[in-house]
Amino acid sequence: MSEDNKHRLTRRHLTAAALAAAATGLVGLPGRAAATPLAGPLATAPHPAGAAASGAPFVVPALREWAGGEGEFRLSGAGRITVPAGSDRLLRLARKVTAEIAELTGVRLRTPGFSDSAPHDGEIHIRVDSADSHPAGGERYRTEGSRIVVGPAHVIITAPAYAGAFYATRSLLQILVGEGRRALPAGTAVDWPGYARRGFMLDVGRRWFEPSFVRDYVRYMSWFKYNTFQIHLNDNEITAPDGDWSKAYSAFRLASDAPELAGLAAEDGVYTRPMWDELEDVAADHCVQVIPEIDAPAHARAFIEFKPELGLHGGNSDHLDLTKPGTTEFMKSLYDEFVPWFRSPIVHFGADEYPKEYAEQYRTYFNTIAAHLRSLGARPMAWGSMKWMTGTAEGYDRDVLLNMWSEDWYTPTMALEDGYHYVNTDDTNLYIVPLADYYHGRTGLDGAWLYQNWEPNVSRTERVEPMAPGLEGAMSAVWNDLVHADYDGEVVHGLVEPTFGLLAQKMWRGVQPGQTYEEFMAGVRRLGVGPGAEHLTSTLDSPPPR
């Protein structure tokens, strides 16, 4: 088997041979492990969560600290939300939370407003104080932490930064949902995340999702304090029908008005600049960073359809021909066109699953595109592939954030030793391919196993130190390999939702001692998908798709 074909038995490219191996329990394919994740001591990684917040109201992720008080704060139509004078962004948040309280509880508060005086009875006051700190929370508290003080008369939310104030309102809303929807127990909550990056990735390249679904997922992410949404914007069918790549499905989902790019965008669904701006607006309102991924030099059939001369094997491939200087120049021109659309400081350039026989050209491409993205003001991100491609990271740009997705392609230990920062996107534990017989495609991720064994520092066989410098967080992923299968966003959501809150809990602070998986999931069911959804609803009382 050539390297060009062998590499397809990996991450998203499980062929019939790989499926047969999985069915018979065989392992050893690149990027693929046994169907059951690693169990035992190596997979068990305690999260530095500390003691449970005794008596705390149920919130996902759970509150770090809680000191109960006497009585409760009851919502009333006479109350309102206030913010310090001149805090226009906080006032917008106050209006948003006022609407969300009405949606979730039926209580219609008065119109929010500015106030620099002490809160009056019935008021919820939200403020940002950059001097606010917490010794145990440290930098994570300064960027995303908060303090909520609930008294019988009023509520005060204080945070060092806007994100912390926003997350505190998610906690407040969840407590209302769990406590009968009209009252908050008196007490003080102090909260902050363990990991800086808490993410989810959606492959829209192989399957079109309406903008409303994507916006809803950003809102849903924020309900559980996720802060990173990676959107995979181009891809293609796994294998060429009858060996003819011109028959394979492929798509690139951004539509530019540039005449030189006319014909590149997919015909069955694209995001225009106004659509993208609306997504970015919703993400900003919910403290979610959208990381766009334009994937090359593999998974690049959409680009080869547009310019056949850029492809390997005379264009009969989904791999770009990196021996041609014009190929890299074309990709640079794409980033020149679209990076100005993106508000994220991070842009993902893919760089996975390329034929090993072109390793030197691959390394040159990796370094060239990383440098080009930095010249455009972006922090480059890619899929970690150095071990499989060249054995080591020697000669690669080290200032690139990596998705660590397969230990066969590059391991977390190697990444840390080589000086990379990475996000744990381990395929064995965190991938879903809807309706496939691999990567949790029928039932979703293994929630019970994840609850007992997984933490953001755990991959297929490795466990790095919890909170290791360089480990920025974790991310689950939905890959839509089965391009001809009949399913939609509701099916995807039905596979994702059962473990979405669980993963949020693990990335924020870990499981609370003494709480069973069943107890945790009962609480998650009560919380639903959060407020503001255009169409998304909970599926947790429904069986997973078959």
Side-chain angles (χ1 to χ4, degrees):
M1 183 184 294
S2 71
E3 293 298 335
D4 189 32
N5 289 324
K6 186 185 298 181
H7 91 281
R8 295 185 185 284
L9 304 180
T10 62
R11 183 157 63 89
R12 289 159 281 166
H13 285 171
L14 286 176
T15 62
L19 291 175
T24 58
L26 298 177
V27 297
L29 296 173
R32 189 65 183 143
T36 302
L38 178 72
L42 183 60
T44 306
H47 192 288
S54 179
F58 185 85
V59 171
V60 176
L63 299 169
R64 287 277 183 170
E65 297 179 1
W66 170 261
E70 295 293 330
E72 63 181 15
F73 172 83
R74 295 198 63 81
L75 290 175
S76 148
R80 67 169 183 160
I81 301 176
T82 63
V83 300
S87 302
D88 292 340
R89 191 180 187 192
L90 286 180
L91 185 60
R92 290 194 298 273
L93 175 60
R95 291 171 179 153
K96 174 181 173 60
V97 177
T98 297
E100 291 170 332
I101 286 175
E103 177 185 344
L104 293 174
T105 72
V107 177
R108 301 189 177 277
L109 302 177
R110 293 163 48 214
T111 302
F114 293 126
S115 176
D116 288 324
S117 62
H120 296 97
D121 286 0
E123 289 186 344
I124 300 170
H125 186 70
I126 305 174
R127 66 188 184 193
V128 170
D129 178 3
S130 60
D132 184 32
S133 64
H134 189 279
E139 180 61 25
R140 295 267 49 82
Y141 182 87
R142 285 189 289 273
T143 55
E144 297 183 289
S146 66
R147 189 183 315 268
I148 307 174
V149 180
V150 180
H154 55 256
V155 177
I156 299 176
I157 293 174
T158 305
Y162 177 85
F166 175 80
Y167 293 138
T169 66
R170 303 307 91 184
S171 296
L172 182 147
L173 292 169
Q174 288 192 12
I175 294 169
L176 286 171
V177 170
E179 296 287 331
R181 300 184 184 271
R182 290 182 178 243
L184 300 168
T188 298
V190 183
D191 206 11
W192 66 91
Y195 287 91
R197 199 165 295 284
R198 306 173 301 280
F200 171 69
M201 196 225 74
L202 180 64
D203 169 12
V204 304
R206 290 201 184 94
R207 185 163 298 259
W208 165 246
F209 292 91
E210 292 290 341
S212 59
F213 178 84
V214 179
R215 292 192 299 268
D216 269 352
Y217 243 75
V218 167
R219 297 182 182 101
Y220 178 49
M221 291 173 66
S222 76
W223 186 233
F224 293 127
K225 303 185 178 75
Y226 283 76
N227 65 0
T228 303
F229 175 46
Q230 183 172 320
I231 182 167
H232 183 78
L233 291 165
N234 66 281
D235 218 313
N236 46 257
E237 196 166 347
I238 290 175
T239 56
D242 303 318
D244 184 352
W245 276 103
S246 69
K247 298 177 182 178
Y249 179 85
S250 65
F252 176 66
R253 297 299 183 190
L254 298 182
S256 168
D257 293 331
E260 63 271 21
L261 295 179
L264 173 61
E267 296 181 355
D268 62 338
V270 295
Y271 305 111
T272 63
R273 181 65 184 270
M275 291 175 184
W276 187 268
D277 285 343
E278 186 174 6
L279 172 62
E280 294 273 20
D281 287 343
V282 171
D285 286 345
H286 292 79
C287 290
V288 173
Q289 183 181 93
V290 179
I291 296 181
E293 181 187 352
I294 298 176
D295 193 1
H299 308 280
R301 183 63 205 171
F303 306 139
I304 299 168
E305 282 288 320
F306 181 65
K307 284 185 174 291
E309 68 273 18
L310 301 183
L312 283 174
H313 311 310
N316 189 32
S317 177
D318 67 338
H319 301 129
L320 296 177
D321 186 346
L322 298 183
T323 68
K324 298 178 179 179
T327 301
T328 300
E329 291 306 308
F330 171 74
M331 291 308 303
K332 288 166 69 174
S333 75
L334 277 189
Y335 294 115
D336 290 343
E337 174 65 22
F338 291 109
V339 167
W341 288 30
F342 308 145
R343 301 181 198 174
S344 167
I346 299 171
V347 173
H348 202 300
F349 64 100
D352 62 328
E353 296 186 315
Y354 193 68
K356 192 174 183 179
E357 63 203 77
Y358 300 100
E360 289 306 315
Q361 292 89 344
Y362 168 87
R363 179 161 44 198
T364 298
Y365 177 85
F366 184 99
N367 293 342
T368 300
I369 296 299
H372 187 67
L373 288 173
R374 276 195 293 274
S375 77
L376 298 175
R379 180 188 183 191
M381 186 172 181
W383 297 97
S385 303
M386 294 78 170
K387 174 186 173 185
W388 181 258
M389 291 300 296
T390 51
T392 73
E394 183 67 29
Y396 286 90
D397 190 323
R398 305 300 174 92
D399 190 17
V400 177
L401 178 63
L402 299 179
N403 289 102
M404 296 307 302
W405 61 279
S406 166
E407 291 179 8
D408 295 292
W409 284 76
Y410 197 44
T411 73
T413 298
M414 293 174 73
L416 293 180
E417 290 175 349
D418 291 334
Y420 283 105
H421 281 230
Y422 79 90
V423 178
N424 180 359
T425 322
D426 176 53
D427 61 345
T428 303
N429 298 319
L430 300 177
Y431 275 16
I432 295 173
V433 176
L435 304 191
D437 293 326
Y438 56 93
Y439 285 147
H440 313 101
R442 295 289 177 175
T443 59
L445 303 181
D446 187 343
W449 187 90
L450 291 169
Y451 191 83
Q452 295 295 333
N453 299 284
W454 185 82
E455 300 289 345
N457 62 312
V458 173
S459 60
R460 190 179 75 199
T461 67
E462 287 193 355
R463 182 182 70 194
V464 302
E465 285 298 314
M467 315 300 294
L471 171 55
E472 295 198 2
M475 179 184 295
S476 57
V478 168
W479 295 104
N480 294 295
D481 292 10
L482 306 188
V483 298
H484 300 298
D486 183 13
Y487 67 91
D488 57 13
E490 184 177 356
V491 170
V492 171
H493 180 53
L495 292 166
V496 171
E497 187 182 14
T499 52
F500 211 63
L502 188 164
L503 293 173
Q505 174 78 18
K506 291 281 189 163
M507 292 183 286
W508 187 273
R509 63 149 294 162
V511 171
Q512 294 198 87
Q515 185 177 64
T516 67
Y517 172 64
E518 291 73 21
E519 290 168 343
F520 176 79
M521 288 306 301
V524 171
R525 288 187 180 88
R526 288 194 298 271
L527 296 178
V529 299
E534 298 172 57
H535 305 292
L536 195 69
T537 59
S538 180
T539 65
L540 287 184
D541 290 329
S542 303
R546 296 288 179 182

